[in-house]
Amino acid sequence: MGKMKISILLCLILTSSLASAQQRKRSVKPRVPAQATTQESTSGTTPDTPAATESTTATGDSSEASPEDPAAPSEEATVSTPDTSADPNQASVTSLRPRPKRLPVQSISSWAVGLTTLQWNEKLTVSQLGSTTNSNMNFNGMGLVLQKETYYLQWGWNVGGMLAVGRANSGPFANDVKIERQGFTMLALTPRMFWRVTNSVNVGGTALIYIRNIDLPSGNGVDITAGRKNNAGFLVDMNLRIFKEWDFYQAIGPINDGAYLWKIGANYRF
């Protein structure tokens, strides 16, 4: 009878010990590191499986990332958030911001052919019978132009050439000496620099370097001279783009001995 009481008492003590131990185990909650919670909230994933909970509880404080962790993204990097709908466990991806590139200087080049009219005066000297008379001789001609043009955003240049033919007139002088419809030829170089006011209008200057040939009447004691065979001048000009391929061009400037040349024409660009 006494042994039975002792056995019952031991069973009661053992049962109460097991119950209190089970109650303490249920009251203890697993410790979750702050760094792990921050990483999970950043990546947009929440551990909802027992395996994920057990791994987090087992690591404890050792799972906290060190401030010097090389895997952590730098401040200069751009962090792109992955699409969690495709893969919840996908890690964040870092990519460097590309540097801006400087655009190269752009230029546009084109060729042009055109027709132009020319008009200018040259001093004329007529010597006959020991007397000298000074006058002017008027030149009128038409030229064929070929040029290549290159321009940038605000300024440009072109190099061209011109072959012109025409007629010259002067007189009459003493003894009915006169020059009518006297033919001449001209070969010229026309380099040009210009400033683009708008997309359709530009102004600039053209250097005119030319060789002019003309046969003047002589004989019977008459000697006639006019200007210079080789000459150069500078023209102030304006170019107007009337259509997509057509330009209107005009220029004026001094060429020799106070004389002025006037030039007007149209160019077709291709």
Side-chain angles (χ1 to χ4, degrees), residues 205-225:
T206 301
L208 181 65
I209 306 167
Y210 66 90
I211 301 174
R212 187 263 303 146
N213 291 318
I214 186 171
D215 293 327
L216 297 174
S218 61
N220 298 325
V222 178
D223 184 19
I224 302 176
T225 59

Side-chain angles (χ1 to χ4, degrees), residues 82-156:
D83 187 4
T84 56
S85 61
D87 188 0
N89 297 324
Q90 183 180 2
S92 61
V93 180
T94 61
S95 60
L96 295 178
R97 189 186 303 274
R99 293 183 179 180
K101 295 182 179 180
R102 181 177 297 177
L103 295 177
V105 178
Q106 299 292 332
S107 64
I108 298 177
S109 298
S110 63
W111 287 87
V113 292
L115 291 175
T116 183
T117 60
L118 307 169
Q119 182 178 1
W120 77 96
N121 293 327
E122 292 185 7
K123 286 185 177 182
L124 183 70
T125 302
V126 179
S127 299
Q128 65 176 19
L129 302 176
S131 64
T132 301
T133 304
N134 295 321
S135 182
N136 292 318
M137 184 164 60
N138 179 256
F139 290 80
N140 291 277
M142 179 170 290
L144 178 64
V145 176
L146 175 65
Q147 62 180 211
K148 181 180 181 180
E149 179 177 285
T150 301
Y151 66 86
Y152 297 86
L153 182 63
Q154 294 292 337
W155 64 277

Side-chain angles (χ1 to χ4, degrees), residues 21-205:
Q22 186 68 22
Q23 186 177 2
R24 285 196 304 271
K25 184 176 180 181
R26 290 179 180 177
S27 62
V28 176
K29 294 182 179 180
R31 182 179 179 183
V32 180
Q35 184 67 22
T37 305
T38 304
Q39 293 179 354
E40 291 172 0
S41 62
T42 303
S43 60
T45 60
T46 304
D48 53 357
T49 60
T53 306
E54 290 177 1
S55 61
T56 305
T57 307
T59 54
D61 295 339
S62 62
S63 63
E64 297 182 359
S66 173
E68 300 179 356
D69 187 1
S74 61
E75 295 181 357
E76 298 179 356
T78 302
V79 180
S80 60
T81 305
D83 187 4
T84 56
S85 61
D87 188 0
N89 297 324
Q90 183 180 2
S92 61
V93 180
T94 61
S95 60
L96 295 178
R97 189 186 303 274
R99 293 183 179 180
K101 295 182 179 180
R102 181 177 297 177
L103 295 177
V105 178
Q106 299 292 332
S107 64
I108 298 177
S109 298
S110 63
W111 287 87
V113 292
L115 291 175
T116 183
T117 60
L118 307 169
Q119 182 178 1
W120 77 96
N121 293 327
E122 292 185 7
K123 286 185 177 182
L124 183 70
T125 302
V126 179
S127 299
Q128 65 176 19
L129 302 176
S131 64
T132 301
T133 304
N134 295 321
S135 182
N136 292 318
M137 184 164 60
N138 179 256
F139 290 80
N140 291 277
M142 179 170 290
L144 178 64
V145 176
L146 175 65
Q147 62 180 211
K148 181 180 181 180
E149 179 177 285
T150 301
Y151 66 86
Y152 297 86
L153 182 63
Q154 294 292 337
W155 64 277
W157 55 271
N158 69 43
V159 176
M162 179 182 63
L163 177 62
V165 295
R167 302 287 183 177
N169 300 277
S170 184
F173 304 100
N175 297 330
D176 293 332
V177 176
K178 58 183 178 180
I179 301 172
E180 292 181 344
R181 302 177 62 85
Q182 190 70 36
F184 74 90
T185 59
M186 175 188 287
L187 181 62
L189 295 177
T190 57
R192 178 175 184 252
M193 294 285 295
F194 60 87
W195 179 262
R196 302 183 70 223
V197 181
T198 66
N199 289 337
S200 301
V201 179
N202 64 73
V203 294

